Structures are given as C-alpha cells and as structure tokens.
Amino acid sequence: MADNKNLVVECDNLVKIYKAKDLEVVALQGLDLSVEKGELTAIIGKSGSGKSTLLNIIAGLERPSAGKVFVDGKDLLKFTDKELKEFNRSSIGFVWQNTARNIIPYLTAQQNVEVPMMITGHKSRSAWAKELLQMVGLGNKRNSRLGELSGGEQQRVAIAISLANSPRLVLADEPTGSVDGRTAHNILEVFSRLNKELGITVVIVTHDMRISKMVNRVISISDGMIGSELFKTDCLSHNIDNSDIQSFISKTHDEFAIVDRKGRMRIPEELMTKMNIKGGQKLTIHENDRGFEVFVDSLSK
Amino acid sequence: MLAFLYQRIRNNILLFVMLLCGAILASAIVSCIPMYSNAIFQRLLIKDLEQMQKDTTKYPGTYSVEMIGKSREEYQKVDKIMYSKYASQISLPIKDKTAVIITDPFNIEEERKTKTWRKSVISSIAAFKNIEEHITLLHGRLPENNSQNDVYEVIVSQNAAKNLDLILNNTHILTKTVSYSETKTIAKVKVVGIFTYKDKADAFWDEDNYRNLDDRIVMLESDVERITENRELLKIYSMKWMYFYDYYELKSENIKKIISTIYEQRLTARVNLNLLGVVEEYLSRQKDLSITLWILTLPFIVIICFFTLMISGLIVKNDENEISVLKSRGAGTFQIFFLYIIQSLIMAGIAFIIGPILGKSICRIMGASNGFMELVSRKSLPIRITAEIYQFSLLAAAIFVVFVLIPAFRACRTSIVQYKRKKNTENKQAIWEKFFLDIVVLLISVYGLYKFSDRQNVLQKTGASGQELQIDPILYMISTLFVIGIGLLFLRLYPYLINCIYQLGKNRWNSVLYYSLINTRRIESNARFIMLFIILSISFGVLSSNQARTINQNLEDKIRYETGADIVLYPYSRVVLDSPMSPAKSFIPPPDPVALRNYKPEVLEYDEVPYREYQNLDGIEGITRVFEEEKSIVKGNSVDLEEVKVLGIVPHEFAKLAWFRNDLLPFHINKYMNVMTQSPNAALLSKDMQEKFDLGDSISIQWGKNKENTLLCRVHGFINYFPTYNPYPDNNVTFASEELNGVKWKTKSLVVVNFSTLQSKLPGIRYNIWIEKKPGVTDGTINDQL
Ligand SMILES: Nc1ncnc2c1ncn2[C@@H]1O[C@H](COP(=O)(O)OP(=O)(O)O)[C@@H](O)[C@H]1O
Ligand SMILES: [Mg+2]
C-alpha cells in the first residue's frame, strides 16, 4: 500500500460509525482516497456527507471504526497517543471554518501564530511568525487581535497558524464557509500560492463549488463515499459567467466516475438524471478498440 | 509562554480576581484559626504559669541540671559545656542563673566547747554562684577568699544559724565519722556572716534552693574546691546548675520544642524544667480548642472549597474553546494543564503571603467583637504570625491549588472531538450523584444527630453546667453535614420537581412559562454548582447566626439565672447591684456574673430603711425580699450537710419576678411556689440531696454562729434548678471540651424555704431585695432614687 513514495495521504476503505445513545450514524462507509505530494485537492459534498469526519481522521484527531489511514507513509492507527500528538503537532496544519477554533481571541495575530511553535517548543518563533504573516499578506496586521481583523484576514491568520510548524500537509475544513465570495477567492489564492511556492500538500473541504475552479482536483463525497472526481481540463477559456457554478465546474473540469477497490462504481446523481437511470438499472460494458464503454441496458428501461 | 500566560490572565481578569479573593480568604481563614487559638493559649499559658508560681512557690521558669556523685573533674567538664549544650537549647531568655555545689554531709562541732552539752549537728556545704546578689547580710560580712588560711570563711542563713546552732564569728570544726570510735577533722570554718533572702519572690529563691540553705553552710566556690581536694575526707555530693528563664516570654509554639529538648537532655542528665508539667498538660488542651475552632470553621472552609471549584469551573468553561484550539494544534494534556498549574500557583502564592496578614485582622476583629469569643478573652489578644501560621497558609494554598485544578484537569483531558461531542450530549451525572453521596452524607448526619441527642440526655442527667463555650462541636459538624446533604439531595430532586410541575400542566402553561420550564428542566452542571453554592452559603449563614444567637441567648439566660432578677439590692449596706444585663439587648459584654454574686460588702451593717420605702420606688413592676445564705448546715435524721445554700422566699412574689426558664423543671415553677405558699414549713431541696432525704422528712437548717438561727422544715420537693442556684460554683470551665466527663466536682446543695416563716421566727433577719423593673425603666432611674 504505502510503497508509493509520492502519496501523502492514503485512505483505504475507511468506515466511521458514530454511536449516539440509541442510534448509529454511519459517517463514512468504505471510503478510499489518495492524495499525492504537492497536490491541491478540494473535497466537496453535501452537508453531513462525512467530509469533516474524513479530515479529522486524516489529521489524527479521530480514529476510524474500520479501514486504514496512511499519512506520509505512516500508519496512523499504529501510532501511540504520544506519537499521534507529535504527528499532529509537526506534520499537520489545520484550518477550521470557525475562527474561534483557529484563533485565541485575546492574542495578537503574531502571538497566535507563535502558539503552535510554543507547543512544539520551537526557538526563534518571532521571526518565522512574522514571515508567515507576510506570506499570507498580513505583514502589517501582526499586532491586531481577533476583533480588529476582518473575516478573511482572520482566516488568513488561521492559515499562517496552520503553517507555523512547517507541516507536510495542510487540511482546511471549510475555510471559506463564513466569508463572502470575493474573500473566499482571496483565501483560496493564498492556499494555491502556498501550494505552488512551498509545495505543501493541501486538502480543502468545502461545499462551495466556486472554490473548485482554482483547484486541479476535486473529489466529491456523498454518503460517506467518493462519488466522483473532477480534474481540471487543460484547454479552457476563462470568460465564464460566475453565477452558474454548476455549469462552470462542468466546463472547467472533467468529471470521472470512480471505481473502488471492490469494483463498485458510483455514478454522480446529475448524470443519473441526465441518463435517466434509476437504482437497479442494468448496465453493460463492451470492449472496443479504444477500451471499455458502458451502456445503459435499454431492455430494462 | 509568560506573555501567553499574562494575556490569559488579562483576558479572564474578573474571574481571576475572584478566584484570587477566594484563595486569599481561604488562606486567611485557615491561618486565622491557629493564630487565634495560639493567642488565646498564649494568654492562658502565662496565666497558668503565674498561677503555678502562686500555688507551688516554685518559679516556673527554673531549669536545672543536676549531677550526683561524680568526680570534681567531671563537674568542671560539665560546667564548661553547661550553657552551650544544655541551657542555651531552651529558647527562652535567661533572667538569672546559678550553680549549686553541695558536699557530702559531715558533723559540725564547736572548736572550744562553750556548752557542756551540744547536740551533734549534721550539715553539708553549699556553694552558690551569684548568691551575694540575692541575699541581705544581717550580721557580719561576706566570706573572703584567703587561701592561705586553713580556716574557711562561711556564711549561713538565719534559719541555718538557728538549726545548726551556729554563732557569728565562732570557729567550728567539721568532722567525719570514720568508724564507731574514730572521727577525723575535715577542716575548720568560721561563720563570718548571717544573711537573709533579699526577695523571696525572686526566681533565684526557687523552693529547692531556699530549702537547701536551711541546714547548710555557704562557702565560696573556690573554697569548696580546696576543701574537697582530699576526696577521702570530703567529696562533692552533687552539683546543680540552675537557669531562671523568663517564662513570660514562653511562646506556645515553642512548647513542643522545649518539651522534646528536655526529654532529649534527660537521656544524658538529670534535667528539670519546673513548667514542664503545666505545659505538657497544656498541649492537650490546646489541641482540644483547636479542634473545636476547626469544626466551627468547617462550614467556611466547605464554602470556600465550593467557591473555588465553582469559579475555577467557570474559568475552565470559558477556556474550553481555547483548550480545544491548543489541543487541535497538538498540545499535550500536560502542556495545557501546566498553564493552569502556573496560574493557580501564582494565585496560591499571593494568597499564601497575604492570607495570614488578612487572617490577623480577622482575628483582631474576632477578638474585639462582643461575640461568644469574648468569653475567652477581653483584653486584646497577643496575635502573632508565626512560622506555624505560614504552614497552615501553605496548606490552605495547596488545597486551593488542588481545587482549582480539578475542573482544569477534567477539561484538559477531553480532546477536541470529545469536547464537540460533550456539547451535544449534555447533563452527565456528577460524581456525587453517581455514588449517592448526598444520601450517604444525609444518613451520616441523621445518625449523628440521633447519637447526639442520646449523649445530650446523658449530659442532662449529669447536670453539666459551668462556663462552657456552649457550642457542641459535634453538633455543629453534624449540622454542617446535614446542610450539605440536604443541599445535594435538593439538587438531585430538583429536575424531577420541575419535570413534575411541567407534566402537571403540560397543556395549561402559557408559552413563556412553558419555555422557561423546559429550559430549567435541563440545567447545566455549572448552573447546578452555583445553585449548590448559594444553597450552602445561605444555609451556613442561617446556621451560624442561629448558633451565635443561641450562644448569646444561653449566656443571657445564664446571667439572668445566676442573678435572679433585674435588680438585686443588699439593703443592709446599701450596696446596689445593678443587673448586669438589660434584657433584649444582645451582645453586651457581660460582666462576670460569678464575681458579681460573690461580691459581699465588707461591713454588714444593717441599714434600717423600711422595706415599705423600697416598695414605693417608682418604676418597679415587682419587688420581693429574699433571704440568701451560702453557708448553712442542714441536719436530717441521720445526716448532716454543710455549706448548703439557703434561699428564703416569698413564693407568690418571687414567682412573679424571678428570672427563670420554665423548661428547666418538670413542672412550672408556680406549681412549686403554690406548694410553698400552702405549707409555710415546706422546703424544696436540690436534687443532689435526694439520696439523703426523703419527701416528708423533717430537717433543721442552721447558719451563722448564733445557735438561734435554726429553722425546722419539711421536705416537700426536689428541684434541679432554681434562680441563682449553681450546683458547681467553683469550677470555671472554660472550654466545652473540658466537659465534666470523668471529673467529680464538688457540688453545692440548696434549700428553699418560706421567707415569712423565717422572719416570724427571727424578726431581725437580713434579706436582699429583688426588684423587677417596669418595661423601659433603666437601672439608673431606680439607682437615683436610692
Ligand atoms: N461526534 C459525532 N457524533 C455523532 N454523529 C456525528 C458526529 N460527528 C459527525 N456525525 C455525523 O456524521 C455524519 C457526517 O458528519 P460530518 O463529517 O461532520 O459531515 P460534513 O462535514 O460533510 O458536513 C453526519 O451525519 C453527522 O451527523
Ligand atoms: Mg463539516
């Protein structure tokens, strides 16, 4: 599994079941995912589809009920609590949607960035924090507190914080959830710049389709499984009406259906409606000279 | 790190200050108790030692080390280290010191026999360092050191001169009986002076020293050394080093050290410190008082613990998000916990230093206020902050840290994910709820209450009384537990109660009520804590004020009981004794009732102001004559009792104005008075006489030197209590802990007879006048008329 050196994240058949009193919630049901080094990946999906759960598991904050997670080739499940802490501290940078999650309100931006370094016990915190803030474009707001920063600035501070310990992987759980479109765009730009300049692997969770235009790879999750993956089309004209995001995405990205390890395949819902097929529909796969083609079995219609 | 900590504190400054206040208060109260008890004990200690000096004529501060039967060299060796190894170990200032050398006995004979017959006198030599400063020469001079002379010069005390039959300027021969027939001459001595003690109250003249000189001759130390050079003839018998410490400087906190030093020294030498016995007995008393005080303070401590928990809980709750932020950045449990440790250590440190200082002020207030503590001390107390106090303060600070860290620890352990989850699933059961601690505490207290009432009955039967603090620490502790138990139980039942109300009128409540009911049904644990805190502080407040009122009431009752009426006049000398307390006023420092009672005018001159004139005084509600005699003899058929108190009363008047709590006797006092009125010869006897007399017995009562003062009566009843009657008049028990368990006090008996019967038999009899004032009339108005 972990032999591919280029894989930063590798999830195999992840299952997460929450038990709350009498009912069980299946948040993830057999999810496979791999993220390559230096990749900027977005995960989209409806609310409750299990995105946060997935991210928490990758960050080592939660343990899956079944399945395997490898980050940087290391099996998270084999970590002791201490190793997990250490991993969490130095390999992962986390950006939450909720600013209160990211920033301690009574500290200045600079101090906030220094906190993770303090936890790890870094020396010369001040200079690095300064540089990070410069990097996210907040060089002049180093001494502002939470209340003195706009929503977008707060999120950028959060990004700086997540980078404080020079992690291999930055996970962002809906970082643009509570800001307007333009700001979201700015934030994403920061991410993609960091990704390009520092080569940091970034996974961004969002239910905001707009994000995806900046991102090479978009993974869509539904019901705790990968629904489909979209890759940026290389040849593209950029003058597109922003209001129709759905169409925009489909124009900027190619959507692929994904077959999992057990050979199961999911067809995105939109495609289902488009193809006018329902559950229990029979498909036939034919081989031809280009490869394989899937046909909807017209007989059963 | 420090900057972070500083920011944290700054952010939570209000809660932080509150918590700090709690810490300081905790430390203050905790250090206050030993400070206060030390102060009381310091005072009592000195008083006890003074008393010891009076009673035993021994100076309490005398410290002595005695060596017997050793060689002279050994004495000299010990003498060199005496101060450094022995005396200086006792941490008291030395007022004076001496060393006494005593030789073996010998015979004293006259050189030239002046008398034909002279009894053979046995004596020995004593040498006292510094003796010259403590004697007055009556005749002659002090001995001089002239070593060439073979006649040693000696002085003797006046008593010794008499006892030993020595005459000034006579030379005497000291001899030693070697065998039946042979005596050897030791030396010649000449009496050059006769002295008396300069000041017998001087510590130097400790009883032993003083006795020593009644039959010894006193020589210079150097002479003693010379005379004992030949050990065959005369040896030093003993040497005793004495140091006289200023016992007024004895501090109660040093007692333990001194005792242990003495015991340690006793392993190597015969060491004695006069005050040792007193002081040892003392420690146990101190412990008792401390325990009582601790128990009284228990509610405060409980409240402060709760307060600390509550505020700390609030702080942690405030910090919960922050904790989860730090956690998600990979901070370890301990790393976060460390912040709380530092934070609480800062507070504890401040409290540790400031607490005792504040405690000192609290003690001052306690000592100066007119509360029950007044009983123990009236002058300002010698309150000091000692190292021991700081130990207590440290203890308080440590406990504080623990209580602050409990919620913090719990919060630090929960991970960010758990935290989120916790937010969803609220209302976990608290520990006490899970283990039914409320029920347990309640059961314990109920059981304790039951036991207590048992014990109370026993006490009632033994008739305990006296100057007690009147607080039963056990009862207090039980009450405290009970309050806590009830408080917790209420919290347990509270949700059900609300639910019950909610269910009752589910369909009838209007929306506001409905909403608030639903809301209150699920109270957060923190809110429950606040509820508990409020419940506890209010109940403890009520409990304490009740307690204070009870103590006050008891004191007042007691003074009234012992005085008997508003005003008691002794008309035969016109000494007016004002009632010590005006009723309904509380917390007036009561004058010592016993002293008041015992005040007897010197001249028992009968002042012939007719009783009628007293009756005409303005502002009096009732007036009666009471014959009071403390020392009379009661004779029955077979037994005589001495020192019996006799009260002659006019029953129907007496019943109206005497102060008496009606729950003290099985029947209302008027019933007894009726009996007295109906039969003029009736006598009521105190309970302790029940063993000796039966109902219907004839008794004769006699007092004074005059045989005529005799009255014949018939026993009509027995009583436990009666105005002014205290069966234990001579013991001033200061502390509740010194209950009468196991101690037999000499009780006093009482006989109550009809005044009119007395008067008809002895017309000129002395009487006191008891007066009840009209409401609102001051003692002054009546005093002015007299
Ligand atoms: N701590 C939890 N306890 C119980 N159920 C949870 C918990 N966390 C998430 N879930 C459930 O798991 C599912 C996936 O949640 P989540 O991963 O947060 O979705 P998303 O982030 O995509 O909105 C949801 O149905 C949610 O209710
Ligand atoms: Mg989510």
Side-chain angles (χ1 to χ4, degrees), chain A residues 18 20 25 27 46-53 174, chain B residues 421:
Chain A
Y18 288 113
V25 181
K46 291 201 193 97
S47 172
S49 56
K51 305 181 297 288
S52 298
T53 308
E174 307 196 24
Chain B
R421 200 167 306 160

Side-chain angles (χ1 to χ4, degrees), chain A:
Chain A
M1 282 288 307
D3 24 76
N4 189 343
K5 286 261 156 54
N6 267 343
L7 286 186
V8 174
V9 180
E10 214 179 340
C11 298
D12 181 18
N13 199 19
L14 278 185
V15 176
K16 179 72 188 181
I17 299 169
Y18 288 113
K19 290 196 182 76
K21 277 182 189 161
D22 40 342
L23 90 167
E24 292 187 350
V25 181
V26 183
L28 297 177
Q29 35 186 338
L31 182 139
D32 299 322
L33 170 74
S34 47
V35 178
E36 268 179 49
K37 196 170 177 183
E39 233 182 347
L40 177 61
T41 309
I43 297 176
I44 57 170
K46 291 201 193 97
S47 172
S49 56
K51 305 181 297 288
S52 298
T53 308
L54 174 64
L55 229 55
N56 282 339
I57 289 174
I58 295 172
L61 296 172
E62 251 177 280
R63 288 188 180 246
S65 314
K68 287 186 170 158
V69 211
F70 294 87
V71 176
D72 245 0
K74 280 171 229 142
D75 190 345
L76 290 198
L77 302 184
K78 285 192 181 141
F79 276 170
T80 61
D81 277 355
K82 212 178 146 198
E83 285 168 329
L84 208 59
K85 273 262 125 74
E86 177 57 33
F87 160 79
N88 199 290
R89 233 180 253 170
S90 54
S91 301
I92 303 281
F94 215 107
V95 180
W96 309 85
Q97 171 187 0
N98 185 352
T99 339
R101 260 295 128 70
N102 295 314
I103 301 175
I104 295 171
Y106 51 83
L107 297 180
T108 63
Q110 167 92 15
Q111 284 167 331
N112 263 300
V113 180
E114 286 179 27
V115 165
M117 297 188 249
M118 200 165 69
I119 292 169
T120 337
H122 270 302
K123 304 275 183 302
S124 68
R125 300 192 277 263
S126 174
W128 177 229
K130 218 163 145 184
E131 203 180 319
L132 280 174
L133 282 170
Q134 210 90 50
M135 234 184 274
V136 296
L138 286 175
N140 53 345
K141 300 250 168 152
R142 285 194 300 121
N143 294 320
S144 312
R145 280 170 223 282
L146 181 72
E148 297 152 14
L149 296 170
S150 71
E153 285 167 338
Q154 288 173 8
Q155 277 314 41
R156 278 192 277 165
V157 172
I159 294 169
I161 294 172
S162 74
L163 293 172
N165 285 329
S166 319
R168 223 61 67 74
L169 175 65
V170 170
L171 303 170
D173 192 352
E174 307 196 24
T176 57
S178 48
V179 292
D180 61 83
R182 171 168 295 257
T183 320
H185 184 262
N186 275 342
I187 289 169
L188 272 162
E189 246 170 18
V190 171
F191 271 118
S192 78
R193 206 175 68 232
L194 292 171
N195 171 253
K196 277 190 195 109
E197 289 173 9
L198 301 175
I200 295 172
T201 316
V202 181
V203 178
I204 301 171
V205 160
T206 179
H207 56 244
D208 182 350
M209 304 290 182
R210 286 172 301 192
I211 286 181
S212 320
K213 84 172 181 191
M214 332 263 318
V215 177
N216 288 328
R217 180 182 176 205
V218 178
I219 297 165
S220 144
I221 290 186
S222 64
D223 301 332
M225 283 190 275
I226 303 286
S228 61
E229 282 198 32
L230 301 94
F231 288 95
K232 219 170 192 169
T233 42
D234 295 328
C235 46
L236 204 77
S237 54
H238 279 276
N239 44 358
I240 299 162
D241 177 11
N242 264 5
S243 61
D244 187 5
I245 294 157
Q246 202 56 51
S247 61
F248 162 73
I249 290 232
S250 53
K251 273 169 199 155
T252 54
H253 289 70
D254 289 330
E255 186 164 14
F256 295 91
I258 302 291
V259 183
D260 73 8
R261 253 170 250 291
K262 296 211 173 96
R264 291 172 300 200
M265 188 183 78
R266 288 189 60 141
I267 296 167
E269 238 170 276
E270 308 88 66
L271 198 61
M272 295 247 301
T273 39
K274 203 169 171 188
M275 287 160 64
N276 197 19
I277 50 176
K278 294 187 192 96
Q281 183 83 45
K282 290 192 177 66
L283 303 175
T284 48
I285 300 174
H286 293 279
E287 191 175 5
N288 59 20
D289 43 339
R290 281 189 296 148
F292 295 93
E293 269 179 323
V294 180
F295 293 97
V296 179
D297 195 343
S298 51
L299 288 177
S300 59
K301 245 185 187 173

Side-chain angles (χ1 to χ4, degrees), chain B residues 324-355:
Chain B
S324 70
V325 169
L326 294 174
K327 280 248 157 171
S328 71
R329 300 275 173 236
T333 300
F334 184 75
Q335 272 179 317
I336 301 169
F337 194 50
F338 188 68
L339 285 177
Y340 286 94
I341 292 178
I342 300 271
Q343 194 172 312
S344 62
L345 281 183
I346 290 172
M347 286 188 275
I350 296 173
F352 167 67
I353 294 163
I354 297 181

Side-chain angles (χ1 to χ4, degrees), chain B residues 429-453:
Chain B
Q429 275 198 328
I431 299 168
W432 61 265
E433 239 175 335
K434 235 185 275 173
F435 293 104
F436 289 93
L437 284 187
D438 49 344
I439 309 283
V440 172
V441 166
L442 213 55
L443 286 181
I444 290 174
S445 63
V446 168
Y447 174 76
L449 218 59
Y450 166 76
K451 276 274 157 203
F452 177 80
S453 66

